[in-house]
Each structure stands twice: as structure tokens, then as C-alpha cells.
Amino acid sequence: MTGATTSTMNATATEAQLTRYSERLNSLNHGIGWSTIVTSTLQLLMLAFLVRKSDRLDNESSFPKPINLLLLLMILSNLAWNYINSLTFSPIGAAFCIASGAIYQITVSFYTLERGKPVFLAVAPYANRASKVLVFFVILLQVVSNTLCIYTIEMWDSLLALNIMNVAQIIGNVLSLLFEVFVLYCYGWYIHSLREVSSLMDVSSNIRQLRIISIYGTCTMVWNLFWQGIMNAYGFLMGSLPQTEAEYLVSMSVGGLMILMPTVYIFLQLGMKWALCNEHERELERMKQDLLSAREVTMGSTGDQGIIPPDTCTHSSRKDGVLPEFDSS
């Protein structure tokens, strides 16, 4: 009789702890959901401003370019992920939350490949091919694991699906880690290769833009690795219910940080885009000044005012011959 009473009391205490933890988690997710709406709106405005600036510099529409489309999809999927996660739990809501999170992660993989491609080509041809192979398997395993995760929401008794999902997640995490370390190595190698350059003004604009990509890329890869560590730490903390107020605080802090980190990642990409646009604008201004100087010299020696048209300093006329043209938008 006493044993049954003790078991009932323990079950009641556990249920109370679970309710308390769920209430706090829901409150945290609700706050993050609304804050994500604000930050995502700001990110969309920043993206629109930068696209408009790029259009003005190049005299052509840059929005359909892969980089801009991937950034837009990244912002929207992160918004959907956090907002749906802030709603009351339901199987359909959980499925949409998992799907939007998967779309975000897949978009990040594509974006990393597309944005880093000029640096990979500058490092070595094999680097670009190796990154494509790694991204293919990373995305494939993400699709498999997230599809099975959605399937097991209603089918927790499917042991086979759970086992396949767990294996796919483990392999996917390992390959994702390898990909991020590989990309980090490429960025670091390129930055290191410029160590003997006394002045960046002495090199072409392409090299300066590749340096910007490498610096921001290094920061974002380190941030992604930190995010992977935070997710693993949160998974470990979720293995048991918090017992003390300090444990509640640690669990909530790690969970909140894990959810907010993708938002910071997107701001880093927008910062990179801003820096690239500014460098491109400075390069066009330098080209304009060089052409005007050349025109003045020519006019002074020949008296002909029409040899070098003043409107030739456009992006389409850039041929510095050091590296192939790439999308700086």
C-alpha cells in the first residue's frame, strides 16, 4: 500500500514538473516567435534595400539570382520555423515546424555552396567538386531524416522508421560537420594566401571581394559549428526534466540560444552582402575616375573629346583578368 502511494506521489510530482517545464518552454517559444517576426521583417527590408542597391550599380535586376532567392527563402523558412514553434502543439503544427526547419537547413547548405563557389574555385578545382558531393549527401540525409521524423509523429510504434531516422541523423550530422570544416579550411586557406599582400588596394576588386567572402564565411562557419554544439547540448539537457531553478534557467537559456542563432546567421549573410555591395560600388567609382583621368590625358594629347566614352565604367565592362567574374550581389 505504501509502495503504491509513493509511486502515485512520484508520478504526480513528475507530471507537475513536466507541466511547469512545458509552460515555461511555451512562454519562451511564444516570445521568440514574436521577436522573430520583428527581426525577419527587418531582414526582408535589408534584403530589399541591398537588392535595389545592386540593381542600381549594375543597371539590371539582381533579384532572380540564386544568392538573393536563397537569402529570401532562408528568412521566410526561419520565420515559419520559429512562429509555428511558438503555437500550441499539434501534430500538424509539429510537422510544419519540422518541414520549415528542414527547408532552412537545406537552404543554408545550398547557400554555403553557392556563396563559397568562387573561393573554392580560387583554392583548387577539386575543392568545388568535393563541396558539391558533400552537400548532395548532407541534403539527401536531411530529407530522409526529416521525412521520417514527420512520419513518426503519428507512428511512434514504428521501430524501423525510428532506427532509420536516428541513423540518418547521425550520418547527416557527421557529413554536415565535415562539410563545414572543409569550407572553413578553404576560407582560412584563402585568407592565409593573402598574408604577403602589403596593401589590398594593390590587388584586383575580385580578390578583395573574395577576401570579404572568406572573412564573413569563416565567421559564419564558426557560428554554425557553435550552433551544432548548442543543439547537441540542448538534446542532452532534454534527456531529463530540470529539477532545480538553476537547471530550468540553463535549459531555457540553451534552448532560446539554439532557436535564435539562425537569425544571427542570416544577419551575418546580409552583412556580407552589404560589404560586397560597398566594395563593388567603390570599384565602379575607381574605374570611373581612371577612365576620366585617361580621357583627360587623351584629350590633352589629341584634342579629341570622344575617344573614351564616360559611360563605359559599368559592371559588364569589368575584365580584370585575375579571376573569373562572379556574382557579387
Side-chain angles (χ1 to χ4, degrees), residues 10-312:
N10 290 337
T12 302
T14 302
E15 184 176 352
Q17 289 177 341
L18 181 60
T19 301
R20 182 186 180 193
Y21 184 71
S22 298
E23 289 176 351
R24 290 194 172 190
L25 188 60
N26 289 335
S27 178
L28 174 67
N29 290 336
H30 186 72
I32 291 177
W34 282 106
S35 66
T36 304
I37 293 176
V38 176
T39 55
S40 296
T41 301
L42 177 60
Q43 289 170 346
L44 290 171
L45 292 174
M46 290 177 63
L47 179 60
F49 169 79
L50 292 172
V51 168
R52 181 68 186 90
K53 183 176 182 179
S54 180
D55 292 348
R56 179 177 56 82
L57 293 174
D58 294 340
N59 294 322
E60 63 179 11
S61 177
S62 63
F63 178 72
K65 293 182 179 179
I67 289 294
N68 295 326
L69 293 176
L70 289 170
L71 277 172
L72 176 62
L73 185 57
M74 205 183 299
I75 294 171
L76 295 178
S77 59
N78 182 56
L79 172 61
W81 183 15
N82 287 328
Y83 180 72
I84 296 173
N85 191 48
S86 68
L87 303 177
T88 304
F89 176 82
S90 67
I92 295 178
F96 275 105
C97 185
I98 294 170
S100 57
I103 292 172
Y104 170 81
Q105 292 179 332
I106 292 172
T107 303
V108 167
S109 298
F110 274 120
Y111 174 86
T112 303
L113 183 63
E114 183 68 21
R115 182 53 93 187
K117 181 167 60 176
V119 178
F120 303 153
L121 291 172
V123 171
Y126 81 87
N128 190 45
R129 292 193 294 269
S131 62
K132 288 181 178 179
V133 172
L134 283 172
V135 165
F136 171 78
F137 284 106
V138 167
I139 292 175
L140 177 63
L141 290 167
Q142 284 175 343
V143 170
V144 171
S145 62
N146 284 284
T147 300
L148 290 173
C149 188
I150 293 173
Y151 173 74
T152 54
I153 290 176
E154 295 286 353
M155 302 291 293
W156 286 108
D157 57 338
S158 178
L159 185 59
L160 177 61
L162 284 171
N163 289 335
I164 296 175
M165 180 188 71
N166 290 331
V167 171
Q169 285 180 338
I170 293 173
I171 299 176
N173 288 337
V174 171
L175 288 179
S176 181
L177 178 62
L178 289 175
F179 173 64
E180 290 169 358
V181 170
F182 177 75
V183 173
L184 185 61
Y185 164 78
C186 292
Y187 286 148
W189 184 94
Y190 191 81
I191 294 173
H192 181 70
S193 68
L194 298 177
R195 67 190 185 282
E196 296 181 358
V197 176
S198 58
S199 174
L200 291 175
M201 298 305 297
D202 297 333
V203 299
S204 70
S205 178
N206 269 4
I207 293 179
R208 287 193 294 271
Q209 292 190 40
L210 289 179
R211 181 176 178 272
I212 291 172
I213 293 175
S214 297
I215 291 174
Y216 276 89
T218 298
C219 294
T220 54
M221 286 300 101
V222 171
W223 188 257
N224 267 354
L225 291 171
F226 183 44
W227 185 42
Q228 295 288 342
I230 290 295
M231 285 195 293
N232 291 330
Y234 186 68
F236 174 78
L237 293 173
M238 288 290 288
S240 60
L241 288 174
Q243 302 296 322
T244 64
E245 191 65 28
E247 290 179 355
Y248 273 107
L249 181 60
V250 170
S251 182
M252 292 295 101
S253 299
V254 173
L257 182 61
M258 179 191 69
I259 297 172
L260 288 174
M261 286 184 74
T263 302
V264 178
Y265 174 89
I266 296 173
F267 274 118
L268 284 172
Q269 307 320 306
L270 292 171
M272 181 197 299
K273 186 174 180 65
W274 193 308
L276 289 171
C277 282
N278 288 339
E279 169 56 33
H280 183 38
E281 186 176 28
R282 287 191 295 268
E283 174 62 13
L284 291 178
E285 184 61 29
R286 283 190 292 266
M287 289 179 61
K288 180 179 179 180
Q289 294 300 322
D290 291 343
L291 287 171
L292 291 176
S293 298
R295 187 184 182 200
E296 290 176 358
V297 172
T298 305
M299 288 171 57
S301 61
T302 66
D304 189 347
Q305 300 184 12
I307 293 180
I308 303 178
D311 60 346
T312 56

